[in-house]
Amino acid sequence: MAAASAAAEAQPPPPPAPAPSVEALQGVNFVSACGFSHRATDDPIVYPKQPGASHDHSFVGNVSTNAFSKPYSLRQAGTTCHRPLDTAAYWMPTLLVAGQPVAPRMAQVYYRRSTLAPVTAFPQGFKVVAGSAVAAEPQARRVTFWNCGAEGGVPQSSTVPTCPDTRSLSLRLHVNFPDCWDGRRLDSPDHKSHTAYSTKSVCPSTHPVAVPRISLIYAYPVTGGPDVSLASGSQFSAHGDFLNAWNQAELESLVAGCLNALRHCQRGS
């Protein structure tokens, strides 16, 4: 009996089951709330080892992100995120108002499950860019949009709205990252083609591995309006970058215990 019991305990847990419906995915997420860290004309994904080669970016999360950042160096540094083991690097082009830089007052980084298939945690060193820095006309709103927050009463827009003049209803920029991966490459020449967006909560056969869908949201201490642009160009040029340097065990625990368990996890869970 003891041998049988030990053998049973040694069995790996069953793999997570698919979601029963798209409706079951509503509200399934965990969140990192991150403060502004710094600005720099660096981009360790697009221009690695080339300091000053990029347009100006506003970084949240890891406090050390620069042109020379690697997963190992990032994991040794601190973070502005409330989850101390989230040492990943996140960045967007710097917001400009009448040509002057404005730092975000905070960022919310949602990790959502948007696929029926269970999701796999990003591997260490995974890199991706969402959105287009050279867009001169509106991008798809499933990728990026502006608004004034969930309670702002202003619909999602490809153009910068004018928000109510209160702190809680300030201007926000959203960038949604792809949620499917080819399962092989940590990066690709265009920093996008190793990933894809799901359709009707199903990944394409070319990118069969479901991963968390990151929504990166910057909230700014301004109300928006016609004087707003981005350091990358026009207000249509929104994009975001993610370099995974989480404590991997913590990320995998959150993916298993929140996303694949079909739960919303509060900030402290």
Side-chain angles (χ1 to χ4, degrees):
M1 290 293 292
S5 176
E9 291 178 359
Q11 294 298 314
S21 65
V22 173
E23 289 73 23
L25 302 174
Q26 298 300 310
V28 174
N29 62 66
F30 62 89
V31 186
S32 272
C34 307
F36 171 69
S37 174
H38 60 284
R39 290 174 37 228
T41 51
D42 286 1
D43 189 323
I45 293 179
V46 179
Y47 297 106
K49 301 180 182 179
Q50 300 178 63
S54 173
H55 53 258
D56 199 69
H57 284 111
S58 293
F59 295 87
V60 302
N62 199 287
V63 300
S64 71
T65 312
N66 61 38
F68 299 96
S69 291
K70 299 286 187 181
Y72 174 80
S73 68
L74 293 168
R75 287 196 304 274
Q76 308 311 303
T79 180
T80 67
C81 298
H82 81 283
R83 295 185 184 274
L85 298 181
D86 181 4
T87 45
Y90 311 94
W91 62 97
M92 284 195 195
T94 294
L95 187 87
L96 305 175
V97 176
Q100 297 302 307
V102 176
R105 59 179 176 82
M106 56 84 69
Q108 295 271 47
V109 189
Y110 284 85
Y111 284 73
R112 309 181 196 269
R113 177 170 166 184
S114 57
T115 55
L116 295 172
V119 295
T120 297
F122 302 106
Q124 280 290 296
F126 180 88
K127 304 173 184 177
V128 64
V129 177
S132 173
V134 298
E137 54 188 39
Q139 302 183 57
R141 286 191 199 163
R142 75 170 180 173
V143 178
T144 184
F145 61 88
W146 303 87
N147 74 0
C148 303
E151 306 301 322
V154 176
Q156 299 176 5
S157 175
S158 297
T159 55
V160 176
T162 299
C163 299
D165 191 11
T166 70
R167 177 179 173 83
S168 62
L169 302 178
S170 61
L171 181 67
R172 286 163 170 79
L173 177 58
H174 299 241
V175 173
N176 296 317
F177 286 72
D179 53 352
C180 302
W181 174 43
D182 66 12
R184 298 179 293 106
R185 296 177 292 173
L186 298 180
D187 196 4
S188 51
D190 64 356
H191 315 295
K192 298 179 181 182
S193 60
H194 59 306
T195 64
Y197 289 88
S198 63
T199 301
K200 297 181 178 179
S201 297
V202 176
C203 287
S205 59
T206 53
H207 297 77
V209 179
V211 292
R213 177 165 65 88
I214 293 175
S215 294
L216 180 59
I217 306 168
Y218 277 17
Y220 300 96
V222 297
T223 57
D227 290 337
V228 171
S229 61
L230 294 168
S232 48
S234 78
Q235 60 190 257
F236 301 130
S237 65
H239 58 285
D241 298 60
F242 167 65
L243 198 169
N244 181 32
W246 271 83
N247 174 286
Q248 193 66 18
E250 176 70 359
L251 178 60
E252 291 175 0
S253 176
L254 288 166
V255 166
C258 305
L259 305 188
N260 287 337
L262 299 178
R263 296 175 55 223
H264 163 66
C265 292
Q266 300 290 341
R267 289 186 178 185
S269 60

